[in-house]
Amino acid sequence: MGRIARITGRDVVIVGGGVAGTSVLLQLVRALAGRRPPLPVASVRVVDPHPAGWGLAFGDDDPLLLCNTAAELNSLLADRPGDFVDHLREHGWTGTAKDCVPRARMAEYCADRSAGAREQAARTGVAVEHVRASALSIGAGGPDGHRVRLSTGEELCADDVVVCTGVHRPRVPDGFAAFVGHPRYLDSPYPASRIREGLRPGSRVLVLGSHQSAADAALLLCRDGHRTTLTSPSGRLPAVRESLAAPLHPYPPLERISRLDPADPYLEDRLVRCVVEAIRLHDRRPLRRQVSRACDPVQRLREETALVEEGACAWPDVMVPVIEQLIALAPALSPGRLRELAAEFAWMTGRYATALSHVNARRLLAHFDSGALRMVRPYPRSVSFEGGAWRVERSGAAPERFDYVVNATGFGPPLLHWDRERTALHVDGAPDGGTAVSRLEADLRVRRGPEAAPEHVWVVGVGTHVRIPFSNHLRNVVRQARQVADRLAQGEPVPADRGEGPAPGPGAQARIRA
């Protein structure tokens, strides 16, 4: 008879301490607190060079940078949707659940709840530690489990790894690949201190992009007295809404989306019909009267801001259920079909799913009206740096000179890569001969290959984009975190060849190898 595998004392490593990683930690500790000893998890280590929550997405204390979702959507706990609002109230906040708050409030929330989780884990007998480093790679499972190689040169040994890395690599805009690293080129507007402290007063600044990151850059630059110009290939600004908030009531037409036939050649048309029917349930005005059709992007921004102020647009209320129904439909689609749909509905994602909050739309209009901000088309056809300034040429316009260029075209989605031998999973960048992970299992685990067993490596958050659209939708991220946390808290036998000797006690520390 074979040996019985042990089921206690597993060591968990969470790679990333932002909202996704913090949510996994919180929900894992809560799940373990409801179990009797011996617990299936002995230790949890969160690997991130920054304090909990203070990453790229929310780790910026500039008050101009707002969350794009209402406070009521930002809970880290799947079963307590009001937890973020409760946290804000505990700290003196007097706003409404529909308000968008500064992003730093989310970072503070993550730090607060993370500290509480560590205290709760200690009472439960689970060791929790924050490791201030970056994870570089994760060794494939073997007799000693997974080995997580750190930027410090150390390795953490773990039975289970949850990868919760967010975005951090800026996209390179058309025409600027040769200037990456140039002292007058900012590859991202974040952190805001780069703009506050790195630019000469009264500079002329060209911002590449016209969506959320570009709006942030424009607000920061104009506040600090810079003359700012926006440009992008699309020449379009996002639509305007009060905030991305929870729906007011159910929308039966949207519930059909997740049941649509993936092979239906008219799938795109049926999706649009579901959305239009849902909007009409809430407001009988035709959809064309709820948005602006102005060709000029600033005039369109002005008209759509006015529609929000008049209470004359209902479409924002359906956006959350639309996003969540598309997420539910995605597993039935092949990767190719999913990419086709994403391309077909890029207009919806670019203008409506990521619309501007009314507060930021009003701020931008004030800068347009003052002359501090302008938007130009078409996108530059050539650019050079000469005589201490950027020379930018656009078709049909005279050349212009700028002191700085700020890239605000967003960030590329994170990708995991297997090395050539498929013995290690690289978290940051592709190794020579490496292969990108293009598929995740239904339980969000990674495989080395189609015939290989799933690794004890899960992905939560933005990295699930290879399987799930709108992978940064926070309510979905929190549900993913709950799914993985529950799986870890249930316990799973360690193979017998990894279970030699007595099982470690509940206070055991994760193993570190220099």
Side-chain angles (χ1 to χ4, degrees):
M1 180 180 296
R3 291 171 292 172
I4 299 176
R6 65 177 174 87
I7 59 171
T8 60
R10 298 176 68 79
D11 299 320
V12 176
V13 168
I14 300 173
V15 177
V19 292
T22 303
S23 182
V24 172
L25 172 65
L26 266 58
Q27 297 187 97
L28 176 56
V29 169
R30 282 162 58 87
L32 291 171
R35 294 178 62 92
R36 293 182 177 180
L39 298 179
V41 173
S43 70
V44 182
R45 292 202 171 194
V46 180
V47 178
D48 196 303
H50 306 289
W54 289 90
L56 179 70
F58 298 103
D60 201 309
D61 60 4
D62 196 298
L64 269 186
L65 300 180
L66 298 180
C67 296
N68 196 40
T69 53
E72 65 184 3
L73 290 186
N74 289 3
S75 173
L76 295 172
L77 300 173
D79 61 348
R80 290 183 57 185
D83 191 59
F84 180 52
V85 173
D86 291 344
H87 165 81
L88 293 172
R89 300 273 188 234
E90 292 165 4
H91 291 79
W93 183 67
T94 57
T96 74
K98 302 289 185 186
D99 288 347
C100 296
V101 300
R103 293 177 202 168
R105 304 303 292 270
M106 272 297 291
E108 293 164 359
Y109 168 56
C110 288
D112 179 81
R113 293 301 190 250
S114 179
R118 288 197 300 270
E119 293 174 2
Q120 183 180 17
R123 293 193 297 270
T124 305
V126 177
V128 174
E129 183 182 353
H130 188 128
V131 179
R132 292 294 188 90
S134 297
L136 302 181
S137 65
I138 303 162
D144 295 322
H146 296 283
R147 292 185 295 174
V148 181
R149 185 165 61 90
L150 306 181
S151 55
T152 60
E154 295 177 308
E155 288 184 342
L156 297 180
C157 289
D159 298 296
D160 303 281
V161 181
V162 188
V163 180
C164 303
T165 51
V167 299
H168 67 281
R169 290 186 180 277
R171 292 190 174 97
V172 179
D174 291 345
F176 285 84
F179 299 107
V180 173
H182 191 284
R184 296 284 191 92
Y185 171 85
L186 277 66
D187 63 359
S188 163
Y190 313 115
S193 58
R194 301 179 73 189
I195 288 176
R196 290 197 308 267
E197 302 165 8
L199 276 63
R200 294 199 306 262
S203 293
R204 300 161 297 175
V205 184
L206 179 66
V207 175
L208 307 173
S210 59
H211 293 289
Q212 289 290 340
S213 295
D216 286 344
L219 293 174
L220 294 166
L221 290 162
C222 291
R223 178 197 61 189
D224 294 346
H226 302 293
R227 289 165 288 167
T228 306
T229 299
L230 294 176
T231 189
S232 72
S234 72
R236 292 192 297 268
L237 291 166
V240 183
R241 61 183 170 215
E242 195 65 42
S243 65
L244 184 64
L248 298 174
H249 46 69
Y251 289 98
L254 298 180
E255 295 171 5
R256 300 201 305 265
I257 290 178
S258 63
R259 302 192 298 268
L260 292 174
D261 180 4
D264 187 342
Y266 299 103
L267 178 60
E268 290 87 346
D269 294 337
R270 300 193 195 284
L271 281 169
V272 171
R273 185 179 303 170
C274 289
V275 174
V276 171
E277 288 179 13
I279 295 172
R280 286 177 178 167
L281 281 179
H282 184 45
D283 194 312
R284 299 303 300 175
R285 279 172 290 200
L287 186 55
R288 66 179 179 275
R289 290 175 52 194
Q290 300 183 36
V291 297
S292 168
R293 298 301 182 94
C295 294
D296 179 73
V298 179
Q299 182 60 26
R300 195 170 188 178
L301 178 70
R302 193 180 309 281
E303 292 178 4
E304 292 185 331
T305 301
L307 287 170
V308 172
E309 293 171 345
E310 295 164 8
C313 57
W315 64 263
D317 190 54
V318 308
M319 288 314 304
V320 168
V322 166
I323 288 170
E324 294 181 348
Q325 287 294 318
L326 289 173
I327 289 171
L329 172 66
L333 303 173
S334 68
R337 191 71 176 99
L338 189 58
R339 287 192 295 271
E340 289 175 0
L341 276 183
E344 180 73 19
F345 289 101
W347 59 270
M348 185 196 80
T349 303
R351 287 215 80 236
Y352 299 101
T354 56
L356 288 169
S357 69
H358 169 257
V359 171
N360 278 347
R362 265 289 157 216
R363 290 171 173 171
L364 287 174
L365 284 172
H367 293 309
F368 279 122
D369 291 341
S370 73
L373 177 64
R374 66 187 182 118
M375 188 165 184
V376 299
R377 294 178 291 176
Y379 186 79
R381 62 180 175 83
S382 69
V383 60
S384 59
F385 189 83
E386 53 189 51
W390 295 98
R391 176 185 168 88
V392 175
E393 297 185 18
R394 297 182 293 112
S395 297
E400 293 187 83
R401 294 175 71 81
F402 296 92
D403 300 304
Y404 296 90
V405 172
V406 177
N407 172 30
T409 57
F411 297 81
L415 274 175
L416 299 174
H417 290 81
W418 286 109
D419 62 11
R420 191 191 307 271
E421 295 77 21
R422 293 187 179 256
T423 57
L425 194 60
H426 287 248
V427 177
D428 186 16
D432 291 340
T435 304
V437 174
S438 59
R439 184 177 183 275
L440 294 175
E441 301 302 300
D443 64 358
L444 305 181
R445 285 202 283 175
V446 174
R447 286 180 188 262
R448 272 189 272 183
E451 306 302 321
E455 299 288 322
H456 279 257
V457 178
W458 286 261
V459 180
V460 171
V462 184
T464 62
H465 66 91
V466 296
R467 178 182 177 88
I468 298 168
F470 303 102
S471 58
N472 62 342
H473 178 54
L474 187 55
R475 290 216 305 189
N476 183 59
V477 171
V478 170
R479 291 175 186 136
Q480 291 176 353
R482 171 74 176 272
Q483 172 188 334
V484 173
D486 286 349
R487 175 70 180 271
L488 295 173
Q490 291 169 4
E492 185 171 336
V494 177
D497 61 357
R498 288 168 56 188
E500 297 293 336
Q509 298 289 319
R511 301 177 297 280
I512 299 184
R513 292 183 176 179

